[in-house]
Amino acid sequence: MTPLHFSYHSAFIISIMGLSLHRTHLISTLLCLESMMLSLFIALTMWPTQLQIPSLMLTPMLMLSFSACEAGMGLSLLVASSRTHGSDQLQNLNLLQC
């Protein structure tokens, strides 16, 4: 395993651990999701470069645009939940009360 592979695999694993262990605030879960998407973006960018296949170069840009949409949606949900519930703690968010 090359150091590059190790770095984005470890970044993905650390973000999964952060997502599963630190679920107190909505902003921390959104940051963990963003770091997962960025490590996948780096992996998808390096994969066609190492295999020297030019036809797969559009895939990382498509994923990056989807992750930007996901980030915008997450931030809008964060603003809406903090306005209605008063904080961004995940304990206060109960879908049965809506």
Side-chain angles (χ1 to χ4, degrees), residues 39-85:
S39 64
L40 285 176
F41 172 72
I42 292 171
L44 283 176
T45 304
M46 291 299 148
W47 183 48
T49 306
Q50 290 175 349
L51 296 179
Q52 297 174 350
I53 302 172
S55 64
L56 295 176
M57 290 294 184
L58 185 64
T59 307
M61 296 308 288
L62 185 65
M63 196 194 111
L64 190 63
S65 64
F66 283 139
S67 94
C69 293
E70 177 256 336
M73 183 66 72
L75 288 176
S76 66
L77 286 173
L78 174 71
V79 168
S81 68
S82 64
R83 283 185 181 174
T84 57
H85 296 287

